[in-house]
């Protein structure tokens, strides 16, 4: 069992006498389908590895042991949305003072699927109905994990090429907002059959939409890296070279006949946190299941 799985199975507790904090955290954890338990202030802190949510004023009440719990303390001056995102990261990836890479995989369209990966692991996903909503979510996650006054964190985008105008506009906005930023990479990904893969989400506490699943498949694929100077030419070329010609007929037949269930199973492992996006991509390539 890797560290990610071990942490994901560790219990999450709320320890606080602050009712306002409790109700806000309780609401968000239920929305995210993250299970938790409540600790009374006079109750002994569990000796096993755990994550404890509390306020900065109550943090000193938590007794430190050999198996120190991960304590996420909220201060009134903190951004509450960022606090919730950091809880999500601690539960799904593991607590770190700083993370190394954010990957945003986007399936553009009338409804845009957004998949977010942190240090290779699936963090969360959304179905966005407006471009402005998509950009706000991307900016929020970068703001949350970006260490103040540093640009060391790698930011990677994988954008589907299905709708040229939408992809162009999205790239333009990214370069406008993050112009000159170090460690920023954008890849244009062929959307061929990305919406055809089926994933069995039966009994899952939170099911991801088909648009989000399409974004996941794009995250598993390689693409064409673009740059700020030549991105218009490179995107147009990628659009022209989409996999819709007879040269890809064998690939189409292979995917239709046997690839979908296997791709779906591997995709589910990514969603469950059992595989990083890189490991899943390598496994699919080894089996010739994805282009």
């Amino acid at each position: 069992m890797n560290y990610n799985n071990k942490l994901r199975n560790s219990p999450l507790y709320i320890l606080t006498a602050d009712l306002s904090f409790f109700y806000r955290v309780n609401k968000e954890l239920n929305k995210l389908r993250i299970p938790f338990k409540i600790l009374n202030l006079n109750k002994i802190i569990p000796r096993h590895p755990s994550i404890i949510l509390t306020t900065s004023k109550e943090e000193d009440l938590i007794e430190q042991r050999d198996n120190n719990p991960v304590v996420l303390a909220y201060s009134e001056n903190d951004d509450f949305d960022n606090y919730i995102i950091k809880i999500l990261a601690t539960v799904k990836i593991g607590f770190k003072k700083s993370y190394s890479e954010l990957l945003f995989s986007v399936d553009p369209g009338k409804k845009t699927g957004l998949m977010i990966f942190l240090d290779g692991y699936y963090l969360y996903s959304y179905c966005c109905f407006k471009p402005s909503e998509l950009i706000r979510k991307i900016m929020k996650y970068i703001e949350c994990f970006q260490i103040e006054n540093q640009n060391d964190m790698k930011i990677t985008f994988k954008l589907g090429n299905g709708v040229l105008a939408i992809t162009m506009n999205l790239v333009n906005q990214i370069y406008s907002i993050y112009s000159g930023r170090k460690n920023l990479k954008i890849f244009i990904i062929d959307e061929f059959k990305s919406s055809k893969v089926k994933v069995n989400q039966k009994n899952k506490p939170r099911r991801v939409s088909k648009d989000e699943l399409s974004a996941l498949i794009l995250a598993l694929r390689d693409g064409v890296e673009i740059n700020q100077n030549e991105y218009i030419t490179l995107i147009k070329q990628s659009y022209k070279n989409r996999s819709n010609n007879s040269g890809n007929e064998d690939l189409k037949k292979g995917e239709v006949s046997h690839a979908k269930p296997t791709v779906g199973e591997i995709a589910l492992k990514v969603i469950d946190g059992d595989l990083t996006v890189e490991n899943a991509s390598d496994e699919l390539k080894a089996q010739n299941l994805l282009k």
Side-chain angles (χ1 to χ4, degrees):
M1 178 180 292
N2 61 30
Y3 177 71
N4 182 58
N5 285 337
K6 180 180 179 182
L7 186 63
R8 197 155 39 81
N9 292 327
S10 295
L12 177 71
Y13 297 100
I14 301 177
L15 188 154
T16 186
D18 185 328
L19 291 180
S20 175
F21 170 74
F22 173 80
Y23 286 124
R24 292 179 75 187
V25 171
N26 174 66
K27 179 181 178 181
E28 295 303 319
L29 292 180
N30 285 326
K31 189 186 298 183
L32 294 169
R33 304 290 196 273
I34 297 176
F36 63 91
K37 297 179 181 178
I38 300 170
L39 280 179
N40 295 324
L41 293 174
N42 59 353
K43 192 171 182 179
I44 296 175
I45 302 300
R47 293 182 178 275
H48 52 72
S50 59
I51 305 164
I52 299 179
L53 311 182
T54 188
T55 65
S56 57
K57 294 178 181 179
E58 298 167 307
E59 188 174 5
D60 291 340
L61 297 175
I62 299 174
E63 182 183 352
Q64 297 298 308
R65 301 178 180 277
D66 293 338
N67 258 333
N68 287 346
V70 173
V71 179
L72 300 179
Y74 173 73
S75 170
E76 293 179 356
N77 297 323
D78 293 339
D79 183 304
F80 188 73
D81 291 334
N82 285 354
Y83 178 70
I84 295 299
I85 293 173
K86 288 177 181 177
I87 293 172
L88 184 65
T90 302
V91 169
K92 290 201 168 186
I93 286 85
F95 175 76
K96 298 180 183 180
K97 291 184 177 180
S98 62
Y99 296 87
S100 60
E101 182 175 10
L102 269 169
L103 165 62
F104 299 96
S105 185
V106 182
D107 178 37
K110 291 182 179 180
K111 292 188 296 182
T112 296
L114 170 64
M115 275 265 169
I116 304 170
F117 300 86
L118 182 63
D119 284 1
Y121 285 99
Y122 167 67
L123 182 62
Y124 206 65
S125 55
Y126 300 91
C127 185
C128 302
F129 295 89
K130 295 181 179 180
S132 58
E133 179 188 3
L134 173 68
I135 292 297
R136 281 197 304 271
K137 291 189 183 302
I138 289 171
M139 291 178 66
K140 190 63 182 175
Y141 277 83
I142 293 176
E143 171 197 307
C144 179
F145 294 112
Q146 177 64 62
I147 297 176
E148 190 175 357
N149 298 323
Q150 293 185 23
N151 284 332
D152 293 338
M153 188 177 201
K154 295 178 182 177
I155 307 295
T156 303
F157 291 89
K158 288 191 171 184
L159 312 177
N161 66 353
V163 184
L164 182 60
I166 297 177
T167 304
M168 284 281 202
N169 182 59
L170 182 55
V171 171
N172 187 53
Q173 289 190 70
I174 293 170
Y175 279 135
S176 176
I177 297 168
Y178 299 107
S179 178
R181 182 191 172 94
K182 299 178 181 178
N183 298 321
L184 173 68
K185 291 186 176 183
I186 302 178
F187 295 87
I188 304 301
I189 311 296
D190 193 332
E191 290 190 22
F192 176 63
K193 286 187 177 286
S194 63
S195 63
K196 302 300 182 182
V197 176
K198 305 296 182 183
V199 177
N200 183 4
Q201 299 185 72
K202 186 178 180 180
N203 299 324
K204 293 295 177 184
R206 177 185 182 270
R207 297 188 181 188
V208 300
S209 69
K210 66 177 183 179
D211 301 285
E212 294 164 67
L213 289 175
S214 294
L216 170 56
I217 298 305
L218 298 182
L220 299 174
R221 289 176 171 166
D222 295 330
V224 176
E225 184 175 1
I226 62 174
N227 59 67
Q228 194 162 359
N229 296 324
E230 300 179 288
Y231 73 88
I232 295 177
T233 300
L234 292 169
I235 292 174
K236 286 183 177 179
Q237 187 62 44
S238 172
Y239 187 77
K240 291 178 181 178
N241 292 340
R242 288 177 302 169
S243 298
N244 57 3
N245 54 62
S246 59
N248 288 306
E249 193 63 32
D250 290 339
L251 176 62
K252 292 179 183 180
K253 290 178 180 178
E255 288 198 350
V256 170
S257 63
H258 68 273
K260 286 191 287 185
T262 305
V263 174
E265 290 169 5
I266 293 174
L268 188 61
K269 288 183 179 180
V270 175
I271 294 172
D272 287 342
D274 296 325
L275 283 177
T276 65
V277 65
E278 182 178 0
N279 289 340
S281 180
D282 289 343
E283 187 170 336
L284 289 168
K285 288 174 187 175
Q287 298 182 48
N288 292 319
L289 292 179
L290 275 185
K291 182 179 169 185

